[in-house]
């Protein structure tokens, strides 16, 4: 007798999805099932929640950190403008200020009760050890002191000693005394960049509203402040108080009428402008941190999606049983989304708490580097809580939506079949879409690379990169089979059958492999792109110095101060110096817009050669030279006249003598040192760098010693060789890269957690298979190695794709900025290889716990598990 076996019904042949009767109280039953399912898999729950925690913690921490800074700064500056009804300054921030004659005129204006001149400027304070006090980026300023009777607003509160009353005396804030380790009565020095070093005695200590970290505020007697921070003919700022009955607006109108060339604002406007400046500065920090929080959440999205996809696949029979007894599609999808909501809510709540801790840790870390942040209570606002909760819950539910929809659409009878969970839909449509996005991305990248340097080219490359990322996301399952197969053929070969099994497992479910690896792909793509930027920046600086600088030594100073003008003059007179070249900033207005150039004092062609394209290389009087790009943008050439206005509203007509090839060291246009002094107020004069050329036959070591001795009184000047100068610039770039890598590390950590989570769930999913392998003789050690190798292959696959994308995007982005100083493209091949090796190591480490769990599987129990 012959029997025939009918093929199992396909999903399409399954009976219509019409349960004879709805499950009574189905919603509550499904909710209970969801809650019990979460409670029964605590480890799985913890790993999934952790992905949400890390992302939301970064977002909450960013808001808490910036809100705390904002609140503290607002408290610090709440006294700004207190008692001040009108403020009078020059029209521009870098102008000389208010003429002394106008200060006297203000006193005679009807409605003026009191006038307080305010003079201030940057300083360097010498600590007790004889070295400059490091403020870590916080302001370091000298201020004029006015007696209480002449002060407008809250007078200074002295905790020790007395205020300065004569030249050579200063009072310091408490934070500065602590930083410099000075005491009342100590003698020290202060450097004012525009006037030089002065000897001072500390007479008192005053209290600030809160501990301001690295802030240094030195109070000087009015006469000495005028000599240090002004040109002797102007006052930087004038505060004015109104008589009773005169409003701020009325007084402002009267003062503005008398001083039409000055900038006159009310005290209320002064407070509003100050708050706006703080918010603008802090918003950049906030957006910067939130961008990395968004990256972390994006990476976490793929982890959550992958997790719920695997959970649904493992629970198909359970969900099908619910469908068979009357649960509707909506109830099934809601049960999955309920689990996602609970995971998101739990992760968000923990993430908010972790974010507060992250903000506290970040502030402590920055203060340990003496960055100078003000202290204050951490601010956890309702906005932060609401945003973190919404982001965490919505991202989690969005990630789980597709798995929930898939679970609801699965026919009950088909889902109960054993083999259904291992089947998958075709990758053809997804791969075709990937090819489409890839072509669009390639076209955009090509046009961006060929376009002129600037924002348009960068935008095209950015759009192309986005399209390519989408293409890789869609095409990753198709890519995983050949790449993992090729890597597995090499890596797994030494391990024999164990290696072949690991390779088979890694390519068995390409969707899962791709989703797991893509989180790591995104992180390493960003790391590689940033590495290319850093390497190219350092290489560009090296090329600029090597190809253009003909100096034996370079004098440099802090970015905010530069090299004091007097230091350059002293260095030029050191025995053995043949010539020196000082470069200083120029800032004028052309057609109402600010235009920055470079003032040149010294033989330019000898120490900083340039290529003259047209005209003459003459920098005398009002003759200037312009770069090729600047000449094109402004439609000028040799012989052209350009109307310029200085910050003090002095009009100067400059004549273009020549056009030179673009040179990042020289800037867009050049003027003589005399021209620079004509348009720059004395208190703002400073040098970027001073280049020193030795006389032939001079002992360079001796010359360096003599230069260091000559510039030592100026406290902040460094004498460096060209190689040392390049190294100092590289150190700054490395510091920035370190910050970016540290922030991206969060995304990498989440990606690693995703690998752990996927492997752990995979072990559960393959429990019967693992039990069968154990039953036929595979040893625990061999099983662990199988999991190790599988994880390694997934991690290396993600790393290969991510590093490859970074090596494409990085050089293209650098190419779009070739006219902004990044003229050289450098690919850090060694770092790329290191990332691949580290990814393999990370893959093995991520598999330790899942492999140990798999090895503990009891064969008979696993085989009998239905």
């Amino acid at each position: 007798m012959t029997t025939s076996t009918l093929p199992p019904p396909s999903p399409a042949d399954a009976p219509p999805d019409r349960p004879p009767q709805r499950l009574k109280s189905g919603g509550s039953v499904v909710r209970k099932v969801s809650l019990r399912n979460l409670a029964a898999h605590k480890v799985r729950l913890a790993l999934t929640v952790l992905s949400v925690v890390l992302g939301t913690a970064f977002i909450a921490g960013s808001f808490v950190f910036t809100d705390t800074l904002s609140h503290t700064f607002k408290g610090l500056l709440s006294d700004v403008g207190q008692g001040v009804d009108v403020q009078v300054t020059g029209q521009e921030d870098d102008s000389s200020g208010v003429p002394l004659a106008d200060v006297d005129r203000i006193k005679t204006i009807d409605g003026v009760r009191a006038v307080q001149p305010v003079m201030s400027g940057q300083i360097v304070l010498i600590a007790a050890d004889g070295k400059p006090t490091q403020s870590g980026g916080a302001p370091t300023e000298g201020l004029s002191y006015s007696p209480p009777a002449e002060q407008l607003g809250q007078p200074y509160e002295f905790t020790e000693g007395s205020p300065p009353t004569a030249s050579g005396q200063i009072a310091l804030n408490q934070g500065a005394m602590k930083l410099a380790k000075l005491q009342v009565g100590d003698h020290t020095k202060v450097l004012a960049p525009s006037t030089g070093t002065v000897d001072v005695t500390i007479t008192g200590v005053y209290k600030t509203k809160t501990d301001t970290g690295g802030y240094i505020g030195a109070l000087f007697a009015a006469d000495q402040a005028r000599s240090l921070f002004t040109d002797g003919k102007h006052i930087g700022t004038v505060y004015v108080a109104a008589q009773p009955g005169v409003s701020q607006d009325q007084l402002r109108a009267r003062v503005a009428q008398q001083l039409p060339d000055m900038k006159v604002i009310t005290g209320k406007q002064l407070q509003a402008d100050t708050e706006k400046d703080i918010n603008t500065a802090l918003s950049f920090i906030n957006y910067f941190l939130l961008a990395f929080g968004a990256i972390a959440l994006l990476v976490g999205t793929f982890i959550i999606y992958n997790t719920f996809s695997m959970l649904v696949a493992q629970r198909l029979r359970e969900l099908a049983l619910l469908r068979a007894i009357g649960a509707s599609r909506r109830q099934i999808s809601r049960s999955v989304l309920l689990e996602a909501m609970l995971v998101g809510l739990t992760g968000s709540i923990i993430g908010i708490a972790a974010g507060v801790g992250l903000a506290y840790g970040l502030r402590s870390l920055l203060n340990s580097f003496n960055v100078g942040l003000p202290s204050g209570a951490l601010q956890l606002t309702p906005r932060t809580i609401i945003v973190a909760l919404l982001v965490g819950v919505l991202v989690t539910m969005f990630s789980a939506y597709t798995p929930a929809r898939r679970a609801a659409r699965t026919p009950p009878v088909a889902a109960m079949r054993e083999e259904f969970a291992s089947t998958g839909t075709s990758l053809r449509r997804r791969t075709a879409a990937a090819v489409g996005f890839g072509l669009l991305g390639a076209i955009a990248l090509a046009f961006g690379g060929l376009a002129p340097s600037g924002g348009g080219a960068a935008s095209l490359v950015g759009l192309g990169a986005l399209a390519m990322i989408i293409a890789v996301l869609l095409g990753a399952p198709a890519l995983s089979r050949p790449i993992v197969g090729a890597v597995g053929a090499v890596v797994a070969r030494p391990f024999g059958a164990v290696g072949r099994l690991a390779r088979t497992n890694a390519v068995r479910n390409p969707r899962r492999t791709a989703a797991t690896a893509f989180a790591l792909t995104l992180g390493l793509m960003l790391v590689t792109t940033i590495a290319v930027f850093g390497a190219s920046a350092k290489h560009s600086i090296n090329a600029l110095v090597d190809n253009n600088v003909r100096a034996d030594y370079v004098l440099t100073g802090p970015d905010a101060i530069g090299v004091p003008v007097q230091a350059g003059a002293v260095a030029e007179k050191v025995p053995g110096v043949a010539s020196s070249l000082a470069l200083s900033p120029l800032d004028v207005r052309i057609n109402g817009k600010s235009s920055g150039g470079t003032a040149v004092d010294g033989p330019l062609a000898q120490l900083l050669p340039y290529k003259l394209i047209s005209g003459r290389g003459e920098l005398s009087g009002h003759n200037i030279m312009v770069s090729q790009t600047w000449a094109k943008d402004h439609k000028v050439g040799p012989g052209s006249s350009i109307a310029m206005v200085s910050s003090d509203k002095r009009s100067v007509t400059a004549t273009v003598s020549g056009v030179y090839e673009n040179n990042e060291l020289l800037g867009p246009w050049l003027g003589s040192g005399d021209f620079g002094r004509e348009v720059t107020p004395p208190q703002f004069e400073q040098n970027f760098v001073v280049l020193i050329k030795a006389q032939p036959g001079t002992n360079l070591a001796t010359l360096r010693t003599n230069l260091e001795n000559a510039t030592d009184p100026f406290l902040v000047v460094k004498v460096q060789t060209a190689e040392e100068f390049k190294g100092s610039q590289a150190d700054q770039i490395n510091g920035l890269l370190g910050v970016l890598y540290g922030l991206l590390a969060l995304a990498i950590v989440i990606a690693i957690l995703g690998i752990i989570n996927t492997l752990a769930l995979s072990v559960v999913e393959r429990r019967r298979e693992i039990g069968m392998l154990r039953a036929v003789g595979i040893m625990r050690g061999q099983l662990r190695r199988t999991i190790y190798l599988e994880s390694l292959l997934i991690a290396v696959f993600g790393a290969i794709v991510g590093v490859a994308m970074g090596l494409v995007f990085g050089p293209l982005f650098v190419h779009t900025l070739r006219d902004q100083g990044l003229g050289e493209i450098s690919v850090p091949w060694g770092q790329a290889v290191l990332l691949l090796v580290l990814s393999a190591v990370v893959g093995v480490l991520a598999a330790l716990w899942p492999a140990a769990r798999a090895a503990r599987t009891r064969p008979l129990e696993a085989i009998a598990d239905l």
Side-chain angles (χ1 to χ4, degrees), residues 193-375:
S194 60
T195 53
T197 306
V198 294
D199 295 316
V200 295
T201 301
I202 299 173
T203 62
V205 182
Y206 67 94
K207 183 180 180 180
T208 54
K209 191 165 185 178
T210 186
D211 180 10
T212 51
Y215 171 73
I216 297 174
L219 302 180
F220 291 82
D223 290 340
Q224 188 166 29
R226 184 177 293 110
S227 67
L228 293 176
F229 308 128
T230 75
D231 59 0
K233 302 175 183 178
H234 298 79
I235 298 295
T237 303
V238 178
Y239 290 155
V240 184
Q243 292 179 350
V246 179
S247 70
Q248 290 189 0
D249 290 330
Q250 289 174 331
L251 185 59
R252 192 210 69 81
R254 295 174 186 177
V255 174
Q257 184 178 11
Q258 293 293 321
L259 305 175
D261 294 333
M262 295 292 106
K263 181 180 180 180
V264 184
I265 62 174
T266 63
K268 292 180 180 178
Q269 186 62 45
L270 172 61
Q271 291 178 330
D273 290 346
T274 302
E275 184 173 339
K276 181 181 178 181
D277 291 341
I278 292 172
N279 290 335
T280 300
L282 292 179
S283 64
F284 171 77
I285 299 174
N286 197 28
Y287 293 144
F288 182 75
L289 294 175
L290 286 177
F292 286 92
I295 291 171
L297 271 177
L298 179 62
V299 173
T301 298
F302 292 100
I303 303 305
I304 297 167
Y305 167 80
N306 205 29
T307 299
F308 276 93
S309 294
M310 294 184 69
L311 293 180
V312 168
Q314 292 175 18
R315 294 172 54 205
L316 275 180
R317 299 183 69 189
E318 169 193 325
L319 297 175
L321 181 60
L322 290 174
R323 291 294 314 283
I325 63 174
S328 66
R329 289 182 174 181
R330 181 175 298 179
Q331 289 171 336
I332 294 298
S333 62
R334 284 181 177 178
S335 72
V336 177
L337 291 176
L338 174 62
E339 292 184 31
M341 186 190 72
L342 293 175
V343 168
L345 185 62
T346 304
S348 300
I349 293 173
I350 299 174
I352 292 171
V356 174
L358 183 65
Y360 179 83
L362 179 59
R363 187 173 67 176
S364 300
L365 176 64
L366 293 175
N367 284 334
S368 68
F369 288 102
N370 197 25
V371 171
L373 296 177
S375 63

Side-chain angles (χ1 to χ4, degrees), residues 668-719:
W669 59 274
L670 301 174
S672 67
D674 291 335
F675 182 84
R677 284 181 283 274
E678 182 178 347
V679 299
T680 305
Q683 63 268 34
F684 295 113
E685 290 181 5
Q686 67 178 47
N687 295 322
F688 290 135
V689 294
V690 177
L691 305 181
I692 302 294
K693 183 68 175 178
Q695 294 176 353
T698 300
N699 185 296
L700 294 181
T702 302
L703 178 60
R704 178 171 190 160
T705 301
N706 293 338
L707 286 171
E708 290 172 342
N709 292 336
T711 57
D712 186 63
F714 298 96
L715 310 174
V716 295
V717 177
K718 292 182 179 180
V719 180

